[in-house]
Amino acid sequence: MRTPSAVTVTLVRGDITQQSVDAIVNAANSSLLGGGGVDGAIHRRGGPEILAACRELRASQYGKGLRTGQAVATTAGKLDAQWVIHTVGPVWSSTEDRSALLASCYRESLRVAAELGARTVAFPAISTGIYGWPLDDGARIAVRTVLAEAGAPVEEVRFVLFDAHAYAEFEEALAAQG
């Protein structure tokens, strides 16, 4: 395990598709071919280049789709970023602990970002929308994982949160980490 360097973690209330960063993380579905929520917004605003790149991935090494907890990069199309890093979050379960899979989404996305040389990375609150992950727990896992795993060349991790409730939960999680 590598020793993380000092990374700046910032919180932004807004639209992740309007961030100017090196890499935007997409809360994708396993098909990589677009969907609702963050995934749909990234594909719509990024344009057909993202979908074309995802289709190429499906035609090559991801024929059955991307597994939960994995991450892979494509072009960012028309977004103000160089790359979109797609990761598939777990669906929340009250009977099975899937927190390691959620942490893996953040860890693997940071690994891909580092391999690409990305210095700034914007994350959504993975799995906390349609996948039903409780926002307080999702924020805690996200912040803890990013603080433990982010390292050079990544200098800034930005959590881009759609509403005031999500922002407050991430703010509380960040404060709890000191």
Side-chain angles (χ1 to χ4, degrees):
M1 180 168 167
R2 68 174 197 251
T3 304
S5 66
V7 64
T8 300
V9 176
T10 58
L11 305 179
V12 174
R13 183 172 170 204
D15 179 347
I16 197 166
T17 68
Q18 296 188 5
Q19 297 300 303
S20 179
V21 290
D22 294 330
I24 292 175
V25 177
N26 180 20
N29 65 48
S30 63
S31 77
L32 294 174
L33 301 179
V38 169
D39 192 18
I42 286 172
H43 275 269
R44 278 189 303 276
R45 185 164 294 237
E49 298 88 352
I50 296 173
L51 182 57
C54 287
R55 283 189 173 134
E56 286 179 26
L57 288 171
R58 286 296 304 270
S60 61
Q61 68 263 44
Y62 297 101
K64 294 183 179 179
L66 189 64
R67 288 194 333 250
T68 301
Q70 289 186 324
V72 65
T74 65
T75 179
K78 295 176 178 73
L79 297 171
D80 191 8
Q82 289 184 271
W83 304 282
V84 171
I85 299 172
H86 306 268
T87 189
V88 180
V91 174
W92 186 78
S93 170
S94 62
T95 60
E96 180 184 349
D97 181 7
R98 298 177 180 168
S99 56
L101 285 170
L102 183 56
S104 180
C105 291
Y106 291 97
R107 186 173 37 260
E108 287 299 302
S109 294
L110 288 167
R111 180 189 60 76
V112 170
E115 287 175 0
L116 294 168
R119 291 181 18 245
T120 55
V121 181
F123 278 98
I126 298 167
S127 287
T128 63
I130 192 93
Y131 285 6
W133 205 281
L135 198 46
D136 60 338
D137 191 48
R140 181 186 57 77
I141 291 168
V143 168
R144 183 185 66 214
T145 304
V146 163
L147 289 174
E149 299 292 332
V154 176
E155 297 171 1
E156 179 191 358
V157 170
R158 190 178 305 169
F159 288 108
V160 184
L161 307 155
F162 193 70
D163 61 26
H165 177 63
Y167 188 96
E169 292 293 350
F170 272 75
E171 191 172 45
E172 189 173 312
L174 192 55
Q177 290 293 315

